[in-house]
Amino acid sequence: MRKGSLPAPLGADRFEAVIPMTDSSFRVLDILERADAPISGEKISDELGITRSAVWKNINELRLMGYDITSSEVHKNLKTVFIGRKMRYLENTPSTNATGRQMVSEEDPEKLHGTVIIAEQQTGGVGRMGRAWVSPSGGIWTTIILKPNVPIDHIFMITMAGSLAVARAIRKEFDLGALIKWPNDIFIGNKKVAGLLLELSAEADTVHYCLLGIGIDANVPLDNFTPELQKAITSVSAELGHEIDRSSFLARILKEFESRYLLLESGEFDTIVQEWKSLSCTLENRVQVRTLKNSFEGEAIDIDEYGALIIKKDNGKIERVIAGDCCHQ
């Protein structure tokens, strides 16, 4: 009997267990067996009139019964050399970066280079400065594990490459005018649609590994957020008026990221900086910057060769900021 395909955790054990199949699980299995190609959880959800969470519950039930339901939706669209060729899918996790940290503690980061972790939902997503990141079903919550061959003083440019990848993918896939707000946010209009977070383990001039976390409100209904957050946040589906195919969108992002990451490893730093400038919504704006040490205001006038933001302060002095929060005024 041919089995269908859906995203599921890689390496999931197959249990020999006698478990009664529920009616909804039977209907999910029927859809999978009738499909001529991998089929997304969204499509099953729409056809059966059930939530995506219910689809995941049924998929897990089928897996426990021994059905081999593999993860191939993203791979079907993937056009990369190494980014995403290894993937791990999770129904939910505290955070994909936390999963990444666990993985590199158990295996050589060199062997995990390019691995992509994807979760349907994060229960403890974290943004910059340790702030909570709301990560409900319908979004794209992913982490890329890297063992970078990039000088440590240019390592922040991995975040720049990721920001470019997300913004370009939104523009190319959906013709939406996504722009980048320094240091790591993607905006559509005046609302945030995505954010990135780079974690690294390093000592002296050696980078042991990096974890590039990417969170995108793809098909997230805005009513999942508080009224206050709705003023500042949007989703791709809300901008388009319909849900998107997250698998093909993520495959596009990974391709866009890989091409720019390879530029970094080749030392083409200026190419990344110039493209970033072309998509910046921060430059030439008045901003307030908060670092761990102080806070100040001024005009964002440039990005240097390392990705640092150059601010002309109100007193005329020039300030270089490599890490901090930036608020447009």
Side-chain angles (χ1 to χ4, degrees):
M1 180 183 295
R2 176 174 57 82
K3 304 298 190 296
S5 299
L6 262 186
L10 294 183
D13 293 332
R14 295 180 62 184
F15 298 95
E16 296 298 330
V18 179
I19 302 174
M21 187 184 298
T22 63
D23 180 62
S24 58
S25 294
F26 179 83
R27 289 186 292 157
V28 169
L29 180 60
D30 181 58
I31 292 173
L32 292 173
E33 291 180 335
R34 286 189 284 106
D36 295 324
I39 184 169
S40 69
E42 283 92 344
K43 292 178 181 178
I44 296 176
S45 172
D46 290 342
E47 183 167 339
L48 296 182
I50 60 177
T51 65
R52 283 186 290 268
S53 294
V55 171
W56 276 108
K57 181 179 179 181
N58 292 321
I59 291 299
N60 286 334
E61 182 178 302
L62 292 170
R63 191 183 306 116
L64 287 171
M65 295 179 68
Y67 286 90
D68 182 18
I69 301 171
T70 60
S71 52
S72 61
E73 274 294 296
V74 178
H75 277 134
K76 179 182 67 173
N77 299 292
L78 201 58
K79 298 178 181 178
T80 59
V81 176
F82 69 98
I83 297 291
R85 288 299 163 181
K86 293 180 181 179
M87 288 191 177
R88 182 175 182 184
Y89 290 86
L90 303 166
E91 180 181 356
N92 62 68
T93 184
S95 81
T96 53
N97 271 24
T99 300
R101 286 194 297 272
Q102 179 181 352
M103 291 175 67
V104 295
S105 72
E106 298 171 348
E107 189 172 350
D108 182 358
E110 190 78 48
K111 296 180 179 179
L112 293 170
H113 182 59
T115 298
V116 173
I117 305 162
I118 304 171
E120 178 67 19
Q121 183 176 5
Q122 292 183 130
T123 56
V126 178
R128 282 179 54 79
M129 307 295 188
R131 288 188 287 263
W133 179 279
V134 181
S135 313
S137 296
I140 292 175
W141 321 119
T142 186
T143 290
I144 305 172
I145 300 176
L146 300 165
K147 181 68 170 70
N149 183 23
V150 176
I152 194 167
D153 58 355
H154 283 83
I155 208 72
F156 174 72
M157 298 188 77
I158 292 176
T159 304
M160 297 177 71
S163 298
L164 286 169
V166 175
R168 284 296 185 199
I170 291 174
R171 285 171 164 260
K172 291 178 179 179
E173 288 281 305
F174 312 116
D175 198 26
L176 294 172
L179 294 171
I180 305 168
K181 183 174 87 66
W182 190 92
N184 64 339
D185 291 335
I186 310 301
F187 272 60
I188 297 175
N190 62 353
K191 293 188 175 183
K192 180 176 175 177
V193 71
L196 297 90
L197 179 67
L198 184 68
E199 294 185 26
L200 69 153
S201 172
E203 56 184 336
D205 292 333
T206 302
V207 179
H208 300 304
Y209 66 83
C210 286
L211 303 173
L212 180 64
I214 302 174
I216 307 170
D217 294 322
N219 288 335
V220 178
L222 295 187
D223 58 13
N224 279 13
F225 303 116
T226 65
E228 190 64 26
L229 274 179
Q230 289 181 35
K231 298 176 183 178
I233 291 176
T234 189
S235 65
V236 178
S237 60
E239 295 295 320
L240 294 173
H242 60 79
E243 291 197 345
I244 64 170
D245 184 332
R246 290 182 298 163
S247 297
S248 62
F249 179 38
L250 178 56
R252 162 80 79 165
I253 291 169
L254 298 180
K255 175 61 176 175
E256 298 283 345
F257 174 72
E258 182 179 87
S259 65
R260 288 161 181 82
Y261 177 82
L262 291 174
L263 286 175
L264 292 180
E265 289 207 327
S266 299
E268 299 289 335
F269 306 125
D270 188 60
T271 302
I272 297 297
V273 170
Q274 293 306 316
E275 185 182 12
W276 193 97
K277 288 181 180 181
S278 74
L279 291 180
S280 171
C281 63
T282 297
L283 296 182
E284 300 182 1
N285 275 306
R286 184 171 177 79
V287 298
Q288 180 185 56
V289 174
R290 291 190 298 271
T291 69
L292 292 175
K293 294 182 178 180
N294 60 3
S295 175
F296 57 89
E297 298 178 2
E299 181 185 357
I301 60 173
D302 205 359
I303 294 288
D304 73 10
E305 61 180 315
Y306 302 100
L309 184 65
I310 309 301
I311 306 292
K312 183 178 182 180
K313 298 169 70 173
D314 292 341
N315 61 9
K317 292 184 178 180
I318 301 299
E319 189 88 16
R320 178 179 181 270
V321 184
I322 191 65
D325 272 351
C326 175
C327 299
H328 293 183
Q329 294 186 311

